[in-house]
Amino acid sequence: RIREGLEATGRLEWAMRECDESRRRHVGQFDAEKQIRRIMKGSRLKAKTATVLRAIVELRHEIAREADLPHRVAMSDEAVNDLARSLPQDAAAVAACRNVGRRLAAEHGDRIATAIREALEGPMQPLETTRTREETAEDRMRIDALWSALSLRCLADHIAPSLMTSRGELARWYLERQAGATDEPLFDPESWRHDAAGAWLEAFLIGEASLELGWKDGRLTRGRG
């Protein structure tokens, strides 16, 4: 049924390319810092918080591999966030964290508490700083508008915006572009994301494309833009 739906919309090739990219991204690769940045949605972190988060996401990676589960199924981002805020020191305190499920606490509560204690007792490991400047109020307004436009276009095309990119990734790219630090497109020109929205985004930013939306049968639709 999925294949028939993708063929009917002309998106089977996109799906196959995403599967290939996903395999390449996940085979033998684990980026703790990238996971931390995604969980914290671009918030600035003190060295202590970053150190604890690193320990938790690294442990989550171990648990996920042992159980052959995706990271966020093994331990949700919300649970990671709760653990980093509450800093439980034993299994009982882990179980008391609101978003930590009973099974996770029962099976891995001691491991989680130990990882947090060891992180607090060891050397601090702050996140690597990036060269991207902080958003000004004007930057934020423009990035929010651009993110809204891209998200609406995705929704009109029945694509989840979060599958395309994130606001944080869009913001970093936009600020680097504005500063002249890059002239690269947001997406690899060989990727399905570039075909689906990246080429349009490039044209939209220089005023050569527009976004025309409508509403039909309770859903967003896209016009000629």
Side-chain angles (χ1 to χ4, degrees):
R1 286 198 298 269
I2 292 172
R3 186 184 188 92
E4 289 172 358
L6 290 167
E7 288 175 337
T9 56
R11 295 181 179 178
L12 179 60
E13 182 189 0
W14 288 3
M16 299 307 292
R17 285 157 68 185
E18 175 64 12
C19 288
D20 287 340
E21 290 174 16
S22 182
R23 284 201 300 271
R24 287 197 298 272
R25 283 196 301 268
H26 293 96
V27 174
Q29 295 184 1
F30 171 66
D31 189 335
E33 292 215 353
K34 185 175 181 180
Q35 289 203 17
I36 293 170
R37 294 183 192 282
R38 189 196 67 238
I39 292 169
M40 300 310 296
K41 298 179 171 58
S43 300
R44 300 188 72 174
L45 299 175
K46 294 181 178 179
K48 175 182 174 181
T49 304
T51 301
V52 173
L53 278 168
R54 189 189 303 276
I56 296 170
V57 298
E58 287 177 351
L59 176 59
R60 177 171 75 168
H61 179 61
E62 293 178 15
I63 292 170
R65 290 192 64 179
E66 292 166 4
D68 194 20
L69 291 171
H71 289 121
R72 282 182 280 186
V73 175
M75 185 189 301
S76 70
D77 288 350
E78 292 78 12
V80 173
N81 212 337
D82 280 355
L83 290 166
R85 283 202 312 268
S86 58
L87 302 176
Q89 299 295 294
D90 54 42
V94 169
C97 291
R98 185 162 55 102
N99 288 301
V100 175
R102 292 181 181 176
R103 182 173 180 178
L104 177 63
E107 294 181 356
H108 303 290
D110 287 327
R111 291 175 71 185
I112 294 169
T114 298
I116 292 172
R117 287 198 307 272
E118 290 178 351
L120 293 172
E121 293 167 0
M124 295 294 98
Q125 300 182 58
L127 291 183
E128 291 184 8
T129 57
T130 63
R131 295 182 180 179
T132 304
R133 62 182 171 84
E134 293 293 317
E135 294 178 21
T136 64
E138 186 174 359
D139 289 332
R140 191 171 300 112
M141 178 183 65
R142 291 178 177 178
I143 292 167
D144 284 344
L146 192 58
W147 173 240
S148 295
L150 179 60
S151 296
L152 288 169
R153 190 180 193 277
C154 288
L155 290 170
D157 284 342
H158 312 306
I159 300 172
S162 60
L163 181 62
M164 186 65 63
T165 187
S166 67
R167 187 201 179 280
E169 290 173 348
L170 177 67
R172 284 191 290 274
W173 172 78
Y174 176 80
L175 292 174
E176 288 178 359
R177 182 187 177 103
Q178 291 299 101
T182 184
D183 58 0
E184 294 294 319
L186 178 58
F187 307 116
D188 183 337
E190 299 300 318
S191 73
W192 70 267
R193 289 175 174 82
H194 185 77
D195 293 347
W200 167 83
L201 180 62
E202 292 288 327
F204 184 74
L205 280 170
I206 60 176
E208 294 182 358
S210 60
L211 179 61
E212 181 180 327
L213 298 171
W215 189 262
K216 183 179 181 181
D217 299 328
R219 305 181 76 168
L220 274 174
T221 60
R222 187 161 62 85
R224 294 169 296 175

